[in-house]
Amino acid sequence: DADGTVAAPISIIGPTNGAVADFRGAAGMRDGFFLTNAANVRIRGVTVRGYSNGIQVAGVSTNNSFLGVTFASNDAFGGLFTGPNIDANRFEGCVFDGGTTTNQRIGLAIAGGDRNTVTNTRFVRHEREGLILSNSASSNRVVGCVMNSNTVSFSSAALKILGATARGNLIGGNSFYGGPLQDTGILVSDSTRNTLSNNLVAGHLQAGIVLVNAAASNTVIGNLVLSNSVAAVTPAIQISGSAADG
């Protein structure tokens, strides 16, 4: 389009005969895929590895789909959404794998954007967080995912929701398994009106679910939180600061 928006459907589809379409970066290469002002792009069945970011999405980017994509051993982020107008995109059946020698620091960071969905996706072996929702990331859905052995080098949480403008997100039906340095399964800080429901949170060093600072008016229901606090005497669910008021 004249405004630079990619509006027509564009598909990048890997082979269906068991072969692997492998996008492999080298030192100094920034993004495996970079989408800006993009709509209706579909990327399916490929592997993206060895870049600074596996994929970066910016601008006004909507209705893009990432299906069965593996983001492995990228340096900074497997996926990075930057900006308030990245809406209604979806990750389904993907793998964010930090790797064993070159660890992808963070699996997926959605720093702004509404109504994005992450379903049936695995986050494993990251240096820090598996998934972060921050800035104006609101009304996003993370459902049916597995987060296992993230934060292998830094004490942190597998999933974080951060900031007063990140609100109304659903974290439902996921499994969070701790790693050697993974303090917490889910951390909500200063964010409101989120729903944490029917998640399994197990094997973390401290509390399985933590709500801190001004994280008020959140709903925590139907979660199974067990075998946490293996390194400290802390509750399964910890609420502190003004989060305790609501």
Side-chain angles (χ1 to χ4, degrees), residues 200-232:
L200 169 63
V201 186
H204 297 89
L205 296 179
Q206 298 184 23
I209 297 174
V210 175
L211 283 71
V212 295
N213 302 325
S217 301
N218 293 287
T219 299
V220 181
I221 185 170
N223 300 283
L224 179 59
V225 185
L226 51 83
S227 298
N228 296 287
S229 303
V230 296

mmCIF file of all heavy atoms in Angstrom, residues 200-232:
data_model
loop_
_atom_site.group_PDB
_atom_site.id
_atom_site.type_symbol
_atom_site.label_atom_id
_atom_site.label_comp_id
_atom_site.label_asym_id
_atom_site.label_seq_id
_atom_site.Cartn_x
_atom_site.Cartn_y
_atom_site.Cartn_z
ATOM 1 N N LEU A 200 -1.172 -24.944 36.128
ATOM 2 C CA LEU A 200 -0.358 -25.776 36.996
ATOM 3 C C LEU A 200 0.972 -25.064 37.194
ATOM 4 O O LEU A 200 1.664 -24.748 36.222
ATOM 5 C CB LEU A 200 -0.119 -27.147 36.367
ATOM 6 C CG LEU A 200 0.939 -28.033 37.042
ATOM 7 C CD1 LEU A 200 0.536 -28.386 38.470
ATOM 8 C CD2 LEU A 200 1.200 -29.291 36.223
ATOM 9 N N VAL A 201 1.340 -24.803 38.461
ATOM 10 C CA VAL A 201 2.582 -24.085 38.772
ATOM 11 C C VAL A 201 3.341 -24.925 39.788
ATOM 12 O O VAL A 201 2.900 -25.076 40.929
ATOM 13 C CB VAL A 201 2.283 -22.678 39.329
ATOM 14 C CG1 VAL A 201 3.576 -21.901 39.501
ATOM 15 C CG2 VAL A 201 1.321 -21.922 38.423
ATOM 16 N N ALA A 202 4.489 -25.485 39.378
ATOM 17 C CA ALA A 202 5.163 -26.461 40.234
ATOM 18 C C ALA A 202 6.678 -26.336 40.150
ATOM 19 O O ALA A 202 7.241 -26.010 39.112
ATOM 20 C CB ALA A 202 4.744 -27.877 39.820
ATOM 21 N N GLY A 203 7.334 -26.618 41.296
ATOM 22 C CA GLY A 203 8.776 -26.812 41.322
ATOM 23 C C GLY A 203 9.615 -25.560 41.277
ATOM 24 O O GLY A 203 10.770 -25.615 40.838
ATOM 25 N N HIS A 204 9.093 -24.429 41.759
ATOM 26 C CA HIS A 204 9.863 -23.185 41.743
ATOM 27 C C HIS A 204 10.558 -22.975 43.091
ATOM 28 O O HIS A 204 10.170 -23.535 44.109
ATOM 29 C CB HIS A 204 8.946 -22.012 41.404
ATOM 30 C CG HIS A 204 8.353 -22.135 40.045
ATOM 31 N ND1 HIS A 204 7.170 -22.791 39.809
ATOM 32 C CD2 HIS A 204 8.802 -21.735 38.836
ATOM 33 C CE1 HIS A 204 6.906 -22.780 38.510
ATOM 34 N NE2 HIS A 204 7.884 -22.149 37.899
ATOM 35 N N LEU A 205 11.571 -22.126 43.091
ATOM 36 C CA LEU A 205 12.363 -21.939 44.298
ATOM 37 C C LEU A 205 11.603 -21.198 45.384
ATOM 38 O O LEU A 205 11.823 -21.431 46.571
ATOM 39 C CB LEU A 205 13.650 -21.175 43.962
ATOM 40 C CG LEU A 205 14.627 -21.871 43.015
ATOM 41 C CD1 LEU A 205 15.829 -20.987 42.769
ATOM 42 C CD2 LEU A 205 15.056 -23.223 43.560
ATOM 43 N N GLN A 206 10.718 -20.275 44.978
ATOM 44 C CA GLN A 206 9.957 -19.510 45.957
ATOM 45 C C GLN A 206 8.470 -19.657 45.642
ATOM 46 O O GLN A 206 8.038 -20.740 45.256
ATOM 47 C CB GLN A 206 10.443 -18.061 45.967
ATOM 48 C CG GLN A 206 11.905 -17.951 46.386
ATOM 49 C CD GLN A 206 12.404 -16.533 46.511
ATOM 50 O OE1 GLN A 206 11.645 -15.604 46.702
ATOM 51 N NE2 GLN A 206 13.717 -16.355 46.396
ATOM 52 N N ALA A 207 7.687 -18.622 45.821
ATOM 53 C CA ALA A 207 6.244 -18.742 45.603
ATOM 54 C C ALA A 207 5.933 -19.039 44.141
ATOM 55 O O ALA A 207 6.609 -18.547 43.234
ATOM 56 C CB ALA A 207 5.557 -17.448 46.034
ATOM 57 N N GLY A 208 4.907 -19.830 43.909
ATOM 58 C CA GLY A 208 4.541 -20.165 42.543
ATOM 59 C C GLY A 208 3.935 -19.000 41.793
ATOM 60 O O GLY A 208 4.225 -18.784 40.616
ATOM 61 N N ILE A 209 3.078 -18.212 42.465
ATOM 62 C CA ILE A 209 2.424 -17.045 41.880
ATOM 63 C C ILE A 209 2.667 -15.863 42.808
ATOM 64 O O ILE A 209 2.458 -15.968 44.027
ATOM 65 C CB ILE A 209 0.910 -17.270 41.700
ATOM 66 C CG1 ILE A 209 0.662 -18.433 40.720
ATOM 67 C CG2 ILE A 209 0.214 -16.006 41.207
ATOM 68 C CD1 ILE A 209 -0.806 -18.822 40.587
ATOM 69 N N VAL A 210 3.099 -14.736 42.244
ATOM 70 C CA VAL A 210 3.395 -13.541 43.042
ATOM 71 C C VAL A 210 2.679 -12.346 42.438
ATOM 72 O O VAL A 210 2.808 -12.074 41.239
ATOM 73 C CB VAL A 210 4.915 -13.275 43.093
ATOM 74 C CG1 VAL A 210 5.189 -11.971 43.830
ATOM 75 C CG2 VAL A 210 5.648 -14.433 43.760
ATOM 76 N N LEU A 211 1.934 -11.613 43.276
ATOM 77 C CA LEU A 211 1.316 -10.340 42.909
ATOM 78 C C LEU A 211 1.901 -9.275 43.810
ATOM 79 O O LEU A 211 1.797 -9.385 45.049
ATOM 80 C CB LEU A 211 -0.208 -10.394 43.060
ATOM 81 C CG LEU A 211 -1.003 -11.113 41.965
ATOM 82 C CD1 LEU A 211 -0.795 -12.621 42.029
ATOM 83 C CD2 LEU A 211 -2.494 -10.791 42.082
ATOM 84 N N VAL A 212 2.524 -8.247 43.219
ATOM 85 C CA VAL A 212 3.231 -7.266 44.034
ATOM 86 C C VAL A 212 2.911 -5.843 43.575
ATOM 87 O O VAL A 212 2.394 -5.616 42.480
ATOM 88 C CB VAL A 212 4.760 -7.484 43.987
ATOM 89 C CG1 VAL A 212 5.127 -8.807 44.615
ATOM 90 C CG2 VAL A 212 5.286 -7.401 42.571
ATOM 91 N N ASN A 213 3.301 -4.905 44.438
ATOM 92 C CA ASN A 213 3.139 -3.473 44.184
ATOM 93 C C ASN A 213 1.658 -3.164 43.982
ATOM 94 O O ASN A 213 0.840 -3.565 44.786
ATOM 95 C CB ASN A 213 4.026 -3.036 43.027
ATOM 96 C CG ASN A 213 5.494 -3.331 43.299
ATOM 97 O OD1 ASN A 213 5.937 -3.238 44.444
ATOM 98 N ND2 ASN A 213 6.243 -3.718 42.276
ATOM 99 N N ALA A 214 1.276 -2.481 42.914
ATOM 100 C CA ALA A 214 -0.123 -2.087 42.723
ATOM 101 C C ALA A 214 -0.877 -3.060 41.822
ATOM 102 O O ALA A 214 -1.731 -2.676 41.035
ATOM 103 C CB ALA A 214 -0.180 -0.681 42.135
ATOM 104 N N ALA A 215 -0.576 -4.340 41.944
ATOM 105 C CA ALA A 215 -1.256 -5.365 41.142
ATOM 106 C C ALA A 215 -2.591 -5.704 41.793
ATOM 107 O O ALA A 215 -2.746 -6.733 42.453
ATOM 108 C CB ALA A 215 -0.387 -6.602 41.016
ATOM 109 N N ALA A 216 -3.581 -4.833 41.609
ATOM 110 C CA ALA A 216 -4.875 -4.980 42.262
ATOM 111 C C ALA A 216 -5.939 -5.440 41.268
ATOM 112 O O ALA A 216 -5.770 -5.348 40.053
ATOM 113 C CB ALA A 216 -5.298 -3.655 42.894
ATOM 114 N N SER A 217 -7.044 -5.958 41.807
ATOM 115 C CA SER A 217 -8.216 -6.363 41.017
ATOM 116 C C SER A 217 -7.884 -7.444 39.998
ATOM 117 O O SER A 217 -8.463 -7.509 38.913
ATOM 118 C CB SER A 217 -8.841 -5.150 40.310
ATOM 119 O OG SER A 217 -9.243 -4.176 41.239
ATOM 120 N N ASN A 218 -6.938 -8.305 40.341
ATOM 121 C CA ASN A 218 -6.651 -9.478 39.526
ATOM 122 C C ASN A 218 -7.447 -10.672 40.051
ATOM 123 O O ASN A 218 -7.777 -10.747 41.233
ATOM 124 C CB ASN A 218 -5.164 -9.791 39.562
ATOM 125 C CG ASN A 218 -4.341 -8.715 38.874
ATOM 126 O OD1 ASN A 218 -4.333 -8.598 37.663
ATOM 127 N ND2 ASN A 218 -3.653 -7.888 39.675
ATOM 128 N N THR A 219 -7.746 -11.622 39.171
ATOM 129 C CA THR A 219 -8.479 -12.827 39.549
ATOM 130 C C THR A 219 -7.553 -14.026 39.452
ATOM 131 O O THR A 219 -6.975 -14.284 38.389
ATOM 132 C CB THR A 219 -9.691 -13.033 38.625
ATOM 133 O OG1 THR A 219 -10.578 -11.923 38.746
ATOM 134 C CG2 THR A 219 -10.433 -14.303 38.992
ATOM 135 N N VAL A 220 -7.405 -14.746 40.558
ATOM 136 C CA VAL A 220 -6.591 -15.959 40.600
ATOM 137 C C VAL A 220 -7.520 -17.090 41.017
ATOM 138 O O VAL A 220 -7.970 -17.142 42.166
ATOM 139 C CB VAL A 220 -5.421 -15.809 41.592
ATOM 140 C CG1 VAL A 220 -4.567 -17.079 41.616
ATOM 141 C CG2 VAL A 220 -4.567 -14.599 41.229
ATOM 142 N N ILE A 221 -7.824 -18.003 40.088
ATOM 143 C CA ILE A 221 -8.859 -18.996 40.359
ATOM 144 C C ILE A 221 -8.525 -20.324 39.675
ATOM 145 O O ILE A 221 -8.045 -20.356 38.537
ATOM 146 C CB ILE A 221 -10.240 -18.473 39.886
ATOM 147 C CG1 ILE A 221 -11.354 -19.443 40.280
ATOM 148 C CG2 ILE A 221 -10.251 -18.192 38.390
ATOM 149 C CD1 ILE A 221 -12.746 -18.871 40.064
ATOM 150 N N GLY A 222 -8.756 -21.408 40.408
ATOM 151 C CA GLY A 222 -8.658 -22.742 39.832
ATOM 152 C C GLY A 222 -7.262 -23.199 39.490
ATOM 153 O O GLY A 222 -7.088 -24.147 38.715
ATOM 154 N N ASN A 223 -6.231 -22.562 40.073
ATOM 155 C CA ASN A 223 -4.855 -22.956 39.785
ATOM 156 C C ASN A 223 -4.399 -24.059 40.747
ATOM 157 O O ASN A 223 -4.820 -24.106 41.898
ATOM 158 C CB ASN A 223 -3.924 -21.747 39.923
ATOM 159 C CG ASN A 223 -4.301 -20.625 38.981
ATOM 160 O OD1 ASN A 223 -4.023 -20.679 37.794
ATOM 161 N ND2 ASN A 223 -4.962 -19.593 39.512
ATOM 162 N N LEU A 224 -3.524 -24.933 40.258
ATOM 163 C CA LEU A 224 -2.901 -25.936 41.101
ATOM 164 C C LEU A 224 -1.457 -25.522 41.318
ATOM 165 O O LEU A 224 -0.641 -25.531 40.386
ATOM 166 C CB LEU A 224 -2.968 -27.315 40.431
ATOM 167 C CG LEU A 224 -2.322 -28.483 41.205
ATOM 168 C CD1 LEU A 224 -2.969 -28.655 42.574
ATOM 169 C CD2 LEU A 224 -2.412 -29.769 40.392
ATOM 170 N N VAL A 225 -1.141 -25.108 42.539
ATOM 171 C CA VAL A 225 0.182 -24.578 42.866
ATOM 172 C C VAL A 225 0.798 -25.511 43.894
ATOM 173 O O VAL A 225 0.356 -25.575 45.033
ATOM 174 C CB VAL A 225 0.078 -23.135 43.406
ATOM 175 C CG1 VAL A 225 1.460 -22.549 43.638
ATOM 176 C CG2 VAL A 225 -0.714 -22.254 42.439
ATOM 177 N N LEU A 226 1.858 -26.250 43.482
ATOM 178 C CA LEU A 226 2.383 -27.276 44.375
ATOM 179 C C LEU A 226 3.893 -27.429 44.229
ATOM 180 O O LEU A 226 4.481 -27.050 43.224
ATOM 181 C CB LEU A 226 1.693 -28.622 44.126
ATOM 182 C CG LEU A 226 1.623 -29.136 42.687
ATOM 183 C CD1 LEU A 226 2.884 -29.847 42.274
ATOM 184 C CD2 LEU A 226 0.424 -30.068 42.522
ATOM 185 N N SER A 227 4.494 -27.955 45.263
ATOM 186 C CA SER A 227 5.937 -28.254 45.290
ATOM 187 C C SER A 227 6.781 -27.053 44.922
ATOM 188 O O SER A 227 7.832 -27.190 44.290
ATOM 189 C CB SER A 227 6.266 -29.438 44.366
ATOM 190 O OG SER A 227 5.607 -30.595 44.795
ATOM 191 N N ASN A 228 6.328 -25.853 45.284
ATOM 192 C CA ASN A 228 7.156 -24.666 45.138
ATOM 193 C C ASN A 228 7.867 -24.421 46.468
ATOM 194 O O ASN A 228 7.828 -25.258 47.366
ATOM 195 C CB ASN A 228 6.292 -23.479 44.714
ATOM 196 C CG ASN A 228 5.672 -23.705 43.349
ATOM 197 O OD1 ASN A 228 6.344 -23.647 42.339
ATOM 198 N ND2 ASN A 228 4.363 -23.971 43.311
ATOM 199 N N SER A 229 8.526 -23.295 46.606
ATOM 200 C CA SER A 229 9.245 -22.941 47.834
ATOM 201 C C SER A 229 10.296 -23.987 48.200
ATOM 202 O O SER A 229 10.518 -24.276 49.374
ATOM 203 C CB SER A 229 8.260 -22.768 48.997
ATOM 204 O OG SER A 229 7.288 -21.799 48.678
ATOM 205 N N VAL A 230 10.958 -24.561 47.187
ATOM 206 C CA VAL A 230 11.944 -25.602 47.476
ATOM 207 C C VAL A 230 13.220 -25.035 48.082
ATOM 208 O O VAL A 230 14.003 -25.766 48.674
ATOM 209 C CB VAL A 230 12.270 -26.411 46.202
ATOM 210 C CG1 VAL A 230 11.057 -27.152 45.719
ATOM 211 C CG2 VAL A 230 12.824 -25.513 45.105
ATOM 212 N N ALA A 231 13.453 -23.726 47.949
ATOM 213 C CA ALA A 231 14.675 -23.137 48.497
ATOM 214 C C ALA A 231 14.397 -22.112 49.587
ATOM 215 O O ALA A 231 15.324 -21.547 50.143
ATOM 216 C CB ALA A 231 15.485 -22.476 47.382
ATOM 217 N N ALA A 232 13.135 -21.841 49.869
ATOM 218 C CA ALA A 232 12.810 -20.841 50.885
ATOM 219 C C ALA A 232 11.426 -21.137 51.442
ATOM 220 O O ALA A 232 10.595 -21.758 50.779
ATOM 221 C CB ALA A 232 12.839 -19.438 50.281
#
